[in-house]
Structure formats: structure tokens, C-alpha cells
Amino acid sequence: MSDKQNDLIYEDTLPGGTHWSMLVRKGTTLRLIDNEGGANVGMLFYNPMNKLERYNAPDTLKCQHTFKLTKGHCLYSDMGHVFCSIIDDTVGWHDTVGGNLTTDNMKKRWGDRSYQEAGNDWTLSGEHAFLVELAKYGLNRRDMAANLNLFSQVKTDAEGNMQFVENNSKAGDFIDLRFEMDTLVLFHTCPHPMNTADAYPKHAVTYQLRKSAPVTEDDECLNHCAENQRGFENNRLYHQCGHHH
């Protein structure tokens, strides 16, 4: 993908501790950039035509035999479709097991301060952020699946305990998600639930939309494993047979 600015469709910056959602069309690449380092982007995907179809973390990891996500990996729905492919990534590790910051845990760790009372010192949980965005599409808590945490790393020690890795992502790091089907994307910049920072971490993230280059036969994501070839074939049939189930 070229870095020329003229192929940019849209760009905006999401401050830390905020949320957004949008419909990303097939053939569009979403780039997320960690502006100052240490960012976390909680993310969920839904099929806009059938919102019961959503991101499936276990299937995504299992079928690609991985614990982390990086370049070459695809992100799967619970119906075997590929929502998007990671076609570029300067971070090398994105967490998909750490979960989402609940309002209760946020209160315990950082307190509950509204923008009205605390100004720029406000705190917001990933749970609250997703619920606000889900409501825009007639969805609720029941529809909240296990989410991605882009830019964050959680590793396990010898005993199998999960540990949050500080400063996994540096200023200017980015990830490119090439969308293989129309996808409803929900995302927030609230802290990772395992972040141990003393103060509520607020890290801005810039997002950019560009037109994707066509998927070629030697595509890294397509050829990463046999499962991914099946996933792309599932998408081809889905688009050929019409969207309605």
C-alpha cells in the first residue's frame, strides 16, 4: 500500500479514553497509528447485514495456531468469514485474550470521574465505551464478544500467569487492517484491563481509511495457512450468493 496522502479517504484522531464506530467497506484498509506510544485500542467487529455474526477470538487464534496477532493473520467471524486481514504491522504483537476494562475494575484502580466534573482528567471504561457504541445499532451487553486489544501485549510466564507488557507499542507504530467484507467496526481508546499504570492512561490514536490494493495470488494473509485460504473462499461464496441468510 502506498503511503501517498492522496489515496487517503478519511483521517481522524481519537483521544485517549474515548470511543467510535463506523461501517468499513470491503476493499478498504483501516490504518491505526499509536501517536505517542503505549496506546490500547479495544476493537469489535460485526456483520452489518447480520449483526449476530461477530468477531470470534478463539477461532481466530486456533485456526492460525497463534496466541498473538500480527502481519499475515486474518480476523475471523464466528461463521468462518474473514472480516479483515493484517497486511502491515510495525508492532509485532497485538493481544486478543486480555479482555476489556470493566467499569468496576476501573473504579477500583483509577476512580470514576466524569468529563463534566474532572475535565481532561476523566476516566472511562472499555465496557461503557462498547455499550454506548453497541446501542447505536440496536445491540446491547449480550452482543459484546471477546475483543481485540490492538497495540497491547499480554504474555504468559512459565506458570501460565498472564502479564501485561509495558510500552509494547512505540510512538508512530501502526497496524493496517484490510477489510475483506463490509464490517461494522467498534473501537475505543480506553486502557487495557491489565495495565498497571498509577494514573489512568490516555493515549490518542489516529485512524486512516484508504482504498485497498487488490488481493493477489501471492498475498501473505491468504497464504498464511490452509485455514485462511478456506476463509477467503468462504468470503467469495458469501459475496457471490448474496448477503442475505
Side-chain angles (χ1 to χ4, degrees), residues 74 178 215-217 219-225 228-229 232:
C74 295
R178 181 186 65 202
V215 181
T216 51
E217 278 177 19
D219 186 77
E220 187 179 348
C221 301
L222 168 66
N223 295 306
H224 180 78
C225 59
N228 286 5
Q229 291 178 338
F232 274 85

Side-chain angles (χ1 to χ4, degrees), residues 30 32 34 38-43 45 69 75 86 89 91 93-96 147-153 168-169 175-177 187-188 190 192 205:
L30 170 64
L32 292 139
D34 182 350
N40 180 67
V41 176
M43 194 170 251
F45 306 122
L69 292 171
L75 305 178
I86 304 176
D89 173 34
V91 184
W93 187 305
H94 300 270
D95 166 49
T96 190
N147 59 286
L148 288 167
N149 285 301
L150 298 182
F151 301 113
S152 293
Q153 178 177 347
N168 177 53
S169 169
I175 180 171
D176 282 340
L177 302 175
F187 57 112
H188 67 64
C190 301
H192 190 283
V205 170

Side-chain angles (χ1 to χ4, degrees), residues 5-47:
Q5 289 308 301
N6 60 6
D7 59 0
L8 202 59
I9 299 166
Y10 183 73
E11 177 178 43
D12 199 9
T13 297
L14 207 59
T18 56
H19 47 84
W20 188 241
S21 60
M22 58 189 171
L23 178 64
V24 181
R25 295 278 180 200
K26 177 183 190 295
T28 306
T29 294
L30 170 64
R31 172 173 290 191
L32 292 139
I33 306 164
D34 182 350
N35 293 357
E36 59 225 27
N40 180 67
V41 176
M43 194 170 251
L44 286 172
F45 306 122
Y46 297 84
N47 179 347

Side-chain angles (χ1 to χ4, degrees), residues 6 20 31 41 45 81 91 117 120 135 154 185 212 218 220 222 238-239 241:
N6 60 6
W20 188 241
R31 172 173 290 191
V41 176
F45 306 122
H81 296 128
V91 184
E117 62 192 27
N120 288 334
V154 172
V185 178
S212 307
D218 62 351
E220 187 179 348
L222 168 66
Y238 169 76
H239 287 114
C241 305

Side-chain angles (χ1 to χ4, degrees), residues 9 12 34 49 51 77 79 120 122 143 154 156 164 188 203 208 229:
I9 299 166
D12 199 9
D34 182 350
M49 306 297 288
K51 297 192 198 78
S77 82
M79 295 184 186
N120 288 334
W122 88 93
D143 303 294
V154 172
T156 52
F164 179 75
H188 67 64
H203 299 294
Q208 300 173 335
Q229 291 178 338

Side-chain angles (χ1 to χ4, degrees), residues 51-122:
K51 297 192 198 78
L52 292 171
E53 181 177 5
R54 54 199 58 162
Y55 173 66
N56 188 305
D59 285 2
T60 294
L61 297 180
K62 200 166 56 194
C63 78
Q64 297 174 101
H65 306 291
T66 185
F67 182 69
K68 64 176 184 183
L69 292 171
T70 185
K71 186 180 176 186
H73 289 141
C74 295
L75 305 178
Y76 279 86
S77 82
D78 48 16
M79 295 184 186
H81 296 128
V82 176
F83 278 126
C84 60
S85 308
I86 304 176
I87 57 168
D88 207 354
D89 173 34
T90 63
V91 184
W93 187 305
H94 300 270
D95 166 49
T96 190
V97 297
N100 198 27
L101 178 66
T102 65
T103 303
D104 278 353
N105 283 346
M106 181 196 71
K107 284 178 184 167
K108 283 181 202 140
R109 193 163 315 156
W110 294 299
D112 190 7
R113 298 187 297 274
S114 71
Y115 183 72
Q116 283 69 24
E117 62 192 27
N120 288 334
D121 204 25
W122 88 93

